[in-house]
Amino acid sequence: MYKAFYGLSDNPFSIAPNPHYLFLSDRHREALAHLTYGLGETGGFVLLTGEVGTGKTTVSRCLLKQLPENTDTAFILNPSLTELELLATLCDELGVHYGESPTLKQLTDQLSQFLLTNHEKGRNTVLIIDEAQHLRAEVLEQLRLLTNLETDTKKLLQVILIGQPELQQLLKRQELRQLAQRITARYHLLPLTQQEIALYVQHRLQVAGRHEPLFHRSAIKVLHQYSGGIPRLINLLCERALMAGYAQSKVPIDANMVRTAASEVLGEEIKQRKLLWPATAATLILATFAGAFYFFNLQGQGGIVQASEPAGTSTQQAGQSQSQSSFTPETQTQAAQTQVGQRPASQTNRQQAEETYASLSADQQILRQAIAQSRNIDTAYASILGLWDKAPYVGLTACQSAKQQGLDCFQQQGNWHSLVRLNYPAVVYLQDARGEPFYGTVVSRQGEQLLLQLAEQQLWVDRDWFTRHFAGTFELLWQAPSYQPKEIGRGSAQAQIQWLENALAQIQNKPARLVQYFDAELEQSLMDFQRQHGLRADAIAGSQTLVQLNLYLSDKGPRLQEGLQGRVQGEGRY
């Protein structure tokens, strides 16, 4: 009813999927590149996770459009099935015929024969499972067994699992460890930033026929505040705000309209949220300097803690105030129970907690305490800013503070190799033995060990410990060049093409060639670099590729290991 008032030809914020309104943020493009890379690696499983409404289905639909024509796809939307039902559904999706009341073996045999025949015809087979967090462990194991069918070079069935963050926890179960080892690419899709929300809203309005701005900048800020960057919530809030503007005959949509929309959509009276930084910035800065002081004193005494955990013990603790220096079994028990809203522990439980805590070594107790104090990511951000001789600004987020001081934030999904080859200090997302998140700052590296700052503690952790606790996401700060082209490809100027050749040669630690044009050797070198970094191997140095290149080439700021800038490190990987 408001379309004519705003000059729209369509409803721009419907939550129904419409390919005409497709908007791919940088995060969505990265996710798509990771999935494409994973499928190109001839492996069995590819994983995409994200919170509800972040755009996982959008990415999967884009992926379907990019699959080669010689690909047969099966799409399962309701994974709450038994092994028999899942295989029957897969047969239905692929057009595989089976008799009445088939057994598990009969369905497996039919699918195996189909996959072999498809391979002989030169066709690929891909299974996509949405809402995969609902899959039962035995069903996932059956899928793994089905992917055992392979040639010398590739799996005959590739599976894309799409689900909410609980899927990551499901795959950490002991009985699914073999499947987890077959995941060739994984990506966790994060919500949109405030800048991306502005682009998203304007994009949908333009598709619907309105090219003039309709939402005030203050409205975008409030929209980010209440939606959390979730596209589905953004659509609901924008839809309700447009109705409010129409009812009041007001243009543009302002912050108050979005707040009113939020109170209606979210079903409760919304109080304006306050940023965490003003309340904690001073504490975080003090904690960082206190941690550095404590670290250097420990180092001088030979007392840097080596992180280790006893088998069967949990590191899950409720966060403590950073000003506390003591960590007793009693406070540990009380903090943990306060977090989950339970009554005070019984005398028996308290005694058990005391006995468990007392049984830990001094290093293990320090590690427990450090993890308990590292539940707030702002502490880790304050630490990494300190490594760049910067500090958080009151009222700004970490990345906003960095931007104000000439730095840029860069987030990446990856593993040990991804982190050490970039060679930058980084904020790392970690998980304790119960899967609860905590955050640290990787400060330095020596061989197979990383110096990890957790709150006020700095600990050396080995590669095995880090791999077991790393959640796959890290963020770093860097100083971007003052100018770089949007992309470098075949049609670019010769100077830009030569720069690309020089950059790749330096990173690969080999002599640069003199190139007059974008030749086949440069194209192959660029595609190899893109594949190694989970980027789309399209032989075009776009924004993501250029950021990766410049991260290696930069000589500004701290490094995990000094003297290694500008070339790739680690087991022959890029």
Side-chain angles (χ1 to χ4, degrees):
M1 58 183 175
Y2 57 70
K3 290 189 291 186
F5 177 74
Y6 292 117
L8 300 168
S9 59
D10 192 15
N11 180 0
F13 297 108
S14 169
I15 61 173
N18 186 335
H20 294 296
Y21 287 94
L22 176 64
F23 174 83
L24 291 180
S25 69
D26 287 344
R27 299 168 195 265
H28 291 89
R29 295 183 191 278
E30 287 177 7
L32 187 59
H34 275 73
L35 296 187
T36 305
Y37 167 76
L39 291 178
E41 285 292 286
T42 66
F45 290 85
V46 175
L47 181 66
L48 174 64
T49 56
E51 289 291 349
V52 176
T54 49
K56 301 184 296 295
T57 303
T58 298
V59 172
S60 65
R61 290 175 184 271
C62 290
L63 181 66
L64 282 173
K65 293 179 180 179
Q66 294 189 10
L67 291 176
E69 293 184 359
N70 65 334
T71 303
D72 291 319
T73 58
F75 210 122
I76 296 180
L77 297 173
N78 178 22
S80 300
L81 306 169
T82 64
E83 302 102 300
L84 194 66
E85 291 169 337
L86 183 83
L87 293 185
T89 303
L90 179 54
C91 286
D92 293 338
E93 286 285 313
L94 296 173
V96 178
H97 300 289
Y98 54 89
E100 293 185 5
S101 303
T103 65
L104 197 62
K105 181 180 183 305
Q106 289 171 335
L107 289 173
T108 302
D109 290 345
Q110 289 290 89
L111 283 168
S112 297
Q113 185 57 50
F114 173 84
L115 294 173
L116 286 168
T117 304
N118 240 21
H119 176 66
E120 291 171 358
K121 294 178 181 178
R123 299 189 64 80
N124 302 317
T125 309
V126 176
L127 167 62
I128 301 176
I129 303 180
D130 205 357
E131 301 295 338
Q133 74 275 2
H134 296 305
L135 286 170
R136 303 174 187 176
E138 57 269 22
V139 174
L140 280 167
E141 178 61 13
Q142 183 62 48
L143 279 175
R144 183 190 71 81
L145 294 174
L146 196 59
T147 62
N148 279 340
L149 195 61
E150 59 189 356
T151 67
D152 291 337
T153 58
K154 65 175 292 187
K155 300 284 186 183
L156 299 190
L157 176 66
Q158 294 179 297
V159 182
I160 300 175
L161 300 176
I162 302 172
Q164 295 170 25
E166 302 93 277
L167 178 58
Q168 297 180 10
Q169 302 306 314
L170 174 62
L171 293 174
K172 289 183 178 180
R173 292 171 60 168
Q174 180 71 10
E175 64 267 32
L176 295 176
R177 64 188 184 280
Q178 293 187 68
L179 186 151
Q181 291 171 1
R182 295 189 180 185
I183 297 176
T184 57
R186 61 180 74 210
Y187 191 88
H188 184 71
L189 194 59
L190 294 174
L192 300 179
T193 63
Q194 183 174 321
Q195 182 180 11
E196 289 169 337
I197 290 176
L199 296 173
Y200 174 82
V201 169
Q202 189 59 28
H203 167 77
R204 295 188 75 97
L205 289 171
Q206 288 177 351
V207 173
R210 182 185 177 94
H211 295 276
E212 299 80 16
L214 183 54
F215 282 73
H216 193 273
R217 283 181 296 179
S218 62
I220 297 295
K221 182 178 181 180
V222 176
L223 193 59
H224 177 253
Q225 178 183 353
Y226 290 121
S227 71
I230 304 298
R232 189 176 300 164
L233 275 179
I234 294 170
N235 284 6
L236 291 172
L237 293 175
C238 286
E239 169 77 9
R240 193 62 59 90
L242 287 179
M243 293 177 64
Y246 170 71
Q248 301 173 35
S249 299
K250 290 183 64 176
V251 175
I253 304 299
D254 60 25
N256 288 330
M257 293 180 189
V258 177
R259 289 194 186 96
T260 302
S263 66
E264 296 174 358
V265 170
L266 301 179
E268 59 183 1
E269 188 67 28
I270 304 294
K271 294 182 179 181
Q272 187 170 355
R273 300 171 186 172
K274 297 181 180 180
L275 291 170
L276 182 62
W277 281 101
T280 62
T283 303
L284 294 175
I285 295 171
L286 289 174
T288 301
F289 286 115
F293 175 80
Y294 185 67
F295 161 61
F296 286 118
N297 274 277
L298 276 176
Q299 191 176 40
Q301 301 167 13
I304 295 179
V305 178
Q306 297 288 336
S308 60
E309 293 173 311
T313 62
S314 168
T315 57
Q316 162 65 17
Q317 305 293 342
Q320 278 185 277
S321 169
Q322 294 182 4
S323 62
Q324 291 179 310
S325 58
S326 61
F327 189 79
T328 65
E330 182 175 355
T331 58
Q332 176 186 13
T333 303
Q334 291 173 347
Q337 294 190 347
T338 300
Q339 182 184 19
V340 297
Q342 296 178 354
R343 291 173 296 180
S346 66
Q347 185 65 32
T348 301
N349 290 340
R350 183 177 293 111
Q351 183 178 355
Q352 291 174 346
E354 291 173 355
E355 291 173 353
T356 299
Y357 188 81
S359 68
L360 300 179
S361 69
D363 284 357
Q364 290 163 354
Q365 291 178 11
I366 292 174
L367 174 62
R368 278 262 188 118
Q369 181 180 4
I371 290 176
Q373 294 176 339
S374 301
R375 303 296 180 183
N376 190 337
I377 195 172
D378 293 336
T379 307
Y381 279 134
S383 297
I384 196 172
L385 281 166
L387 293 174
W388 284 81
D389 295 325
K390 312 293 184 184
Y393 284 175
V394 175
L396 297 181
T397 66
C399 284
Q400 288 172 339
S401 295
K403 194 74 173 177
Q404 289 291 323
Q405 300 173 80
L407 301 177
D408 286 282
C409 289
F410 177 76
Q411 184 187 87
Q412 182 162 319
Q413 307 288 320
N415 52 25
W416 167 279
H417 299 294
S418 310
L419 179 65
V420 300
R421 69 191 175 197
L422 282 175
N423 199 33
Y424 282 81
V427 171
V428 288
Y429 291 52
L430 304 164
Q431 293 176 332
D432 63 20
R434 293 187 181 181
E436 295 296 327
F438 66 103
Y439 307 93
T441 304
V442 176
V443 175
S444 182
R445 176 196 173 202
Q446 289 184 4
E448 294 290 281
Q449 290 190 318
L450 296 175
L451 182 59
L452 180 67
Q453 179 158 339
L454 298 175
E456 299 178 13
Q457 291 283 2
Q458 291 202 343
L459 312 97
W460 284 105
V461 300
D462 60 27
R463 178 172 171 178
D464 177 66
W465 188 96
F466 182 81
T467 300
R468 283 189 288 112
H469 291 274
F470 186 42
T473 300
F474 63 91
E475 299 188 32
L476 53 85
L477 301 179
W478 73 299
Q479 189 169 333
S482 57
Y483 168 77
Q484 64 179 14
K486 292 184 178 179
E487 67 176 39
I488 301 176
R490 288 187 172 276
S492 299
Q494 193 273 334
Q496 293 180 348
I497 294 173
Q498 184 64 58
W499 178 91
L500 181 61
E501 163 65 26
N502 296 345
L504 288 168
Q506 180 177 337
I507 291 169
Q508 296 163 6
N509 199 23
K510 66 180 184 181
R513 302 175 300 124
L514 181 62
V515 293
Q516 299 297 326
Y517 62 94
F518 204 112
D519 60 15
E521 184 175 344
L522 176 56
E523 178 179 311
Q524 186 60 51
S525 181
L526 176 58
M527 291 175 67
D528 288 343
F529 178 85
Q530 291 173 321
R531 290 191 188 97
Q532 292 289 345
H533 291 80
L535 302 167
R536 184 178 180 183
D538 56 5
I540 299 174
S543 59
Q544 293 299 315
T545 300
L546 289 171
V547 168
Q548 287 278 0
L549 289 169
N550 279 304
L551 279 169
Y552 286 121
L553 300 176
S554 175
D555 59 357
K556 303 294 195 329
R559 293 295 190 276
L560 296 182
Q561 283 185 291
E562 294 299 331
L564 299 183
Q565 296 97 316
R567 50 196 179 94
V568 177
Q569 301 299 314
E571 300 184 12
R573 287 174 166 79
Y574 287 115

